Amino acid sequence: MSTSKPLFAFFDKARDDMRISSTHIGIFAALLKYRQERGFSNPIQAYSHDIMPLAKISAIKTYCRCLKDLSNYGYIKYEPSKKKNKPSTIYFPE
């Protein structure tokens, strides 16, 4: 599997979605890179401190808001962790 198929699907859907910003795109791309590094598993288990540097985001509030947006808009399914020592779960559409 490659990252190009989900990335192309994301851009096809996001093209006409005015709610998607460059920050959303950066986070989605970072999630795909993180997923690739883990053998394309679905779902992935990720901490914010793993994804934020890849996406070039420094504010946790922005990161969480954009992940929730991506989930609410149907680009991913995001299950946030309520504990700092447990990663969040992120599902990608197949």
Side-chain angles (χ1 to χ4, degrees), residues 1-93:
M1 172 172 239
S2 74
T3 56
S4 59
K5 184 178 176 185
L7 187 61
F8 291 157
F10 173 81
F11 277 113
D12 285 345
K13 186 175 176 184
R15 176 177 299 149
D16 298 321
D17 191 343
M18 300 312 290
R19 304 169 295 182
I20 298 297
S21 70
S22 58
T23 307
H24 293 95
I25 294 167
I27 289 175
F28 191 83
L31 290 170
L32 288 178
K33 174 65 175 161
Y34 188 83
R35 180 184 182 200
Q36 178 189 26
E37 292 171 351
R38 276 136 193 85
F40 297 100
S41 60
N42 193 17
I44 57 171
Q45 303 286 315
Y47 291 99
S48 59
H49 61 79
D50 293 328
I51 305 300
M52 289 173 61
L54 290 172
K56 304 292 189 196
I57 296 172
S58 57
I60 188 72
K61 222 173 168 179
T62 301
Y63 172 77
C64 291
R65 177 184 51 81
C66 286
L67 269 182
K68 287 177 188 175
D69 288 349
L70 288 169
S71 186
N72 290 337
Y73 303 160
Y75 293 94
I76 60 171
K77 181 180 175 190
Y78 170 56
E79 294 178 353
S81 172
K82 305 297 183 196
K83 300 179 181 178
K84 288 190 180 220
N85 63 344
K86 183 178 181 235
S88 296
T89 303
I90 301 163
Y91 297 85
F92 292 88

